[in-house]
Amino acid sequence: ANTDNIQISLDNKTALKLSRTAENGKWQFQQADISFNANPSDNLETERASNKSKGISISGSLDYLDADAWRYVIKNISEKSSQQTPLTVKRTALKINALDIFDRRINNLKISNIGNKDGLQASIQSREINGDLQWIAQNNGKLIARLSNLTIPDSAPDRLNAVKDSNTDNPGNTTKEFTQLQQNYPALDISADNFEFNKKNFGKLEVIAYPQDENWNIQKLSLSTPEGVISAEGQWNNWIKNPNTLFNVNWDIKDLGNTLKRFGYPDAVKDGAGELKGKLGWPGSPAQFDTTRLNGELTFEVRQGQILQVKPGVGRLLGLLSLQSLPRRLTLDFRDLFSNGFAFDKITATVRINQGLLRSDNFAMSGPAADVQMKGETNLQKETQHLFVKVLPRVSDSVSLAALAGGPLVGAVAFLAQKVLKDPLNKIVSTEYEIIGTWDNPQEVKPAEEAKQQSDSLISPIK
């Protein structure tokens, strides 16, 4: 009279066992055991029978699960349920070939867990995520994760198509309004030994964040590799009007060359150590990051490195800065100075970012072969640039050393003459370039009148 058991099966693919009891004249669910395509050899029936705790047990295997749809269903059921204490998932032993959750696709997932009084503990294996999770249900909830690998999953295929369709509905409208998100966000305590995003390895990840009123404080965001450490802290201001995300960033660079190699640009720079720091911000939540709406200011300094003779592609812009083409533009031959790329003693710059447009007026690179000054802007979204570059070769010292072939006295006189006259040869052969076009195909522009003036200047002292 006070106990009810319900069993449901669907074509031997889904089985459900429910138990409930009557308390004070009202029926209350006690247990729900759900299995999908269960294999008898898994011995799951025996395990479920031994699990008498109150809650839901899920087991079996699925080819596909849309967890986002089920989150919506469970939320509605919880809001409408008259049961004071809703059932929670106490045990899971599930294999899912493809899981869509938070608009992302997780593949080859195996999840097993046991419940505890504070929440849920689970062990996860998949192509993208491996490790242990703990969910504490108090307040907005807290997710604790200790992972060996975390790869940000690709967008779920159906969601990706939906985004593309929505973007083509009104292609002329680029205005996007950001509003307060009516959603409770949990606290996070996450570490992953190996973190990958967009097919690039960012090393070890650490994240500590917690909600405060309507905002979300990011107490720590750290990416660590042998080549350097990126540290950041900030806040997501989930305001009713103009919500935004702000970060203070510091990047300790131990090896710039290997850092660029890790990010997909090998053989661009050799060695180089320094620091980048500044502030970054964008409208909306952290998940709404968009380079076209990025704002901020960064300063950096890198010392003792070498820009190599890089291959075509994005590196062609660095190729221009390596001065490989400079010897062909000089009457004198200094190929030996640039045969292995451009060695630099120091690079410094301040970069201002406005709506994804980067601008610097004080980029300076100094090296034993030449000094390079640059100003202009580059577009992160379109991957284009409009730069003005001035190259001042240090040729006077080389000329003086070459004069040593005529004897020490000749070399000394040539060296002193250059210094007394304040390096006129350096100024004569200084060259200015305007660089336009895309990152993949930068174009050098040099006004014809300027080229003629420099040619005349080179001929005059020789006469």
Side-chain angles (χ1 to χ4, degrees):
N2 295 324
T3 304
D4 201 1
N5 293 312
I6 303 171
Q7 298 187 39
I8 301 173
S9 63
L10 175 62
D11 197 24
N12 295 323
K13 293 184 177 181
T14 303
L16 171 64
K17 294 183 178 182
L18 296 174
S19 64
R20 59 179 184 169
T21 59
E23 298 179 4
N24 300 323
K26 294 183 178 180
W27 288 100
Q28 299 285 337
F29 283 108
Q30 299 298 318
Q31 283 184 285
D33 293 345
I34 309 168
S35 62
F36 303 96
N37 301 306
N39 187 344
S41 63
D42 292 341
N43 227 1
L44 295 173
E45 290 289 340
T46 303
E47 294 182 23
R48 283 200 301 270
S50 64
N51 180 18
K52 297 299 184 181
S53 61
K54 185 177 181 180
I56 300 174
S57 175
I58 304 175
S59 60
S61 62
L62 291 168
D63 286 332
Y64 173 73
L65 178 64
D66 188 342
D68 288 327
W70 279 105
R71 286 194 307 119
Y72 177 77
V73 170
I74 292 172
K75 181 175 182 292
N76 283 344
I77 291 176
S78 299
E79 290 175 350
K80 297 175 181 178
S81 175
S82 60
Q83 185 163 313
Q84 297 297 318
T85 307
L87 291 180
T88 58
V89 177
K90 289 296 183 181
R91 180 185 174 279
T92 303
L94 200 58
K95 299 177 182 178
I96 307 173
N97 287 337
L99 170 70
D100 287 348
I101 185 167
F102 301 116
D103 298 330
R104 298 281 178 173
R105 169 68 58 87
I106 298 177
N107 298 279
N108 302 331
L109 175 67
K110 295 180 181 179
I111 180 170
S112 59
N113 75 276
I114 57 173
N116 58 40
K117 63 179 181 179
D118 295 324
L120 194 67
Q121 289 182 322
S123 176
I124 288 182
Q125 297 179 26
S126 70
R127 188 188 304 172
E128 294 82 7
I129 304 172
N130 291 280
D132 297 324
L133 303 177
Q134 181 180 1
W135 174 256
I136 299 175
Q138 298 173 356
N139 300 322
N140 289 343
K142 181 177 182 179
L143 176 64
I144 301 173
R146 299 294 178 261
L147 308 174
S148 59
N149 180 70
L150 172 59
T151 299
I152 299 300
D154 295 331
S155 296
D158 292 342
R159 312 301 199 282
L160 186 62
N161 293 334
V163 170
K164 288 181 179 179
D165 293 342
S166 65
N167 288 340
T168 56
D169 288 343
N170 189 5
N173 183 12
T174 58
T175 302
K176 183 175 181 178
E177 182 178 353
F178 293 90
T179 59
Q180 183 183 40
L181 298 183
Q182 302 299 325
Q183 192 168 343
N184 292 327
Y185 282 80
L188 298 179
D189 181 356
I190 299 174
S191 66
D193 295 332
N194 184 71
F195 173 64
E196 295 185 17
F197 174 64
N198 199 22
K199 298 182 180 179
K200 294 180 176 62
N201 190 313
F202 289 86
K204 182 177 181 179
L205 168 71
E206 293 181 86
V207 178
I208 297 177
Y210 58 91
Q212 185 178 32
D213 299 326
E214 295 295 332
N215 302 327
W216 202 50
N217 288 324
I218 299 127
Q219 181 177 332
K220 180 181 182 180
L221 173 60
S222 175
L223 296 167
S224 305
T225 68
E227 300 82 32
V229 178
I230 300 175
S231 303
E233 53 86 20
Q235 187 175 50
W236 167 27
N237 299 306
N238 191 25
W239 298 334
I240 296 177
K241 186 177 182 181
N242 298 325
N244 61 78
T245 300
L246 301 172
F247 273 104
N248 295 316
V249 181
N250 188 83
W251 187 358
D252 179 19
I253 305 172
K254 295 181 175 64
D255 190 322
L256 179 60
N258 284 332
T259 297
L260 293 176
K261 181 179 179 179
R262 179 181 289 273
F263 292 164
Y265 305 111
D267 303 323
V269 174
K270 181 181 178 181
D271 300 330
E275 184 180 46
L276 180 148
K277 57 184 178 181
K279 297 181 178 181
L280 295 174
W282 58 89
S285 71
Q288 292 172 310
F289 173 82
D290 186 345
T291 55
T292 63
R293 298 179 174 88
L294 184 64
N295 298 288
E297 182 171 302
L298 300 171
T299 61
F300 69 89
E301 178 179 312
V302 182
R303 301 170 295 276
Q304 302 302 319
Q306 186 177 12
I307 298 178
L308 303 176
Q309 295 188 21
V310 291
K311 299 177 182 179
V314 175
R316 289 183 62 179
L317 181 57
L318 288 173
L320 293 172
L321 295 182
S322 71
L323 311 182
Q324 297 166 43
S325 57
L326 180 60
R328 296 194 298 271
R329 290 178 171 82
L330 298 177
T331 302
L332 302 175
D333 186 3
F334 300 101
R335 291 181 186 273
D336 59 318
L337 296 177
F338 311 106
S339 59
N340 295 318
F342 181 75
F344 60 85
D345 296 322
K346 185 167 68 172
I347 300 176
T348 60
T350 300
V351 179
R352 295 182 300 277
I353 309 171
N354 183 22
Q355 299 295 304
L357 198 65
L358 277 65
R359 180 169 185 86
S360 178
D361 294 322
N362 63 350
F363 178 99
M365 179 169 62
S366 61
D371 292 336
V372 179
Q373 301 170 1
M374 184 166 62
K375 63 180 180 179
E377 60 188 29
T378 182
N379 191 309
L380 291 178
Q381 181 67 19
K382 297 180 180 179
E383 296 190 352
T384 60
Q385 72 270 318
H386 189 182
L387 306 172
F388 296 90
V389 181
K390 185 174 184 179
V391 180
L392 297 95
R394 296 178 181 271
V395 299
S396 62
D397 295 353
S398 301
V399 172
S400 300
L401 292 174
L404 285 173
L409 181 59
V410 176
V413 171
F415 180 81
L416 290 174
Q418 297 299 329
K419 296 307 178 185
V420 169
L421 296 175
K422 297 183 179 179
D423 286 350
L425 187 55
N426 281 341
K427 293 182 174 60
I428 290 169
V429 298
S430 66
T431 310
E432 295 189 19
Y433 302 99
E434 181 179 359
I435 301 174
I436 59 174
T438 65
W439 293 359
D440 284 339
N441 188 27
Q443 304 292 324
E444 300 175 53
V445 179
K446 184 177 179 182
E449 183 178 348
E450 178 187 342
K452 183 178 182 301
Q453 290 176 355
Q454 291 198 1
S455 176
D456 293 342
S457 299
L458 279 171
I459 296 172
S460 179
I462 295 175
K463 289 183 179 179

